[in-house]
Amino acid sequence: KAGVTQTPRYLIKTRGQQVTLSCSPISGHRSVSWYQQTPGQGLQFLFEYFSETQRNKGNFPGRFSGRQFSNSRSEMNVSTLELGDSALYLCASSVAGGLRETQYFGPGTRLLVL
Amino acid sequence: GESVGLHLPTLSVQEGDNSIINCAYSNSASDYFIWYKQESGKGPQFIIDIRSNMDKRQGQRVTVLLNKTVKHLSLQIAATQPGDSAVYFCAVIDSGTYKYIFGTGTRLKVLA
């Protein structure tokens, strides 16, 4: 079974631009969560989608948004990029998003904002 | 809310020795804990989990110990191998927000 895939793997943007990242979960998984990983803060939860609905949200500004499609693929968007948005963005999928379900992570998209 | 801290940012161990990575959490109501391994250029990989009704759980070469009294979690890796070199995270469920809270990670370096 293929793992979680994320595209693109690397991205360089400039301040003020916007970016869209994509995540394809493991086949059969309907829950997708997004995380931001930085050296200082570690992994921080952005949001979780299940059946095309956002079920949970972390403490990030409204510039961070996401969506999920009927095939469970998910995208996240960051508008008006800031230097501090430079990070590794990880998505994780699970069957139904239950708290005690194992989440499977993708390799991440490394975003550099100049 | 919940907070999670790791005791050492870096741990160096000799190949063949046992490794112990520690994690502390703040909320005594937390009831589910996970250890992840993240190798360079990859996403975190599930290693082992433990529920609060257990004190110890063993996997292949790994053991997780949970001390609810002092809110401390540890991951023990037996006979550490070069392939164990990675960053290790603990994650705790915040029972208030139903979110995973991750520690910042301990980098394990295996010395030949």
Side-chain angles (χ1 to χ4, degrees), chain B residues 36-56:
Chain B
Y36 284 93
K37 171 186 181 183
Q38 186 173 22
E39 296 174 276
S40 182
K42 298 182 179 180
Q45 177 187 4
F46 172 89
I47 302 174
I48 192 168
D49 60 0
I50 189 168
R51 296 174 191 265
S52 59
N53 60 352
M54 302 172 73
D55 297 322
K56 179 180 178 179

Side-chain angles (χ1 to χ4, degrees), chain B residues 81-93:
Chain B
Q81 302 169 358
D84 295 326
S85 292
V87 177
Y88 291 81
F89 301 90
C90 65
V92 178
I93 299 297

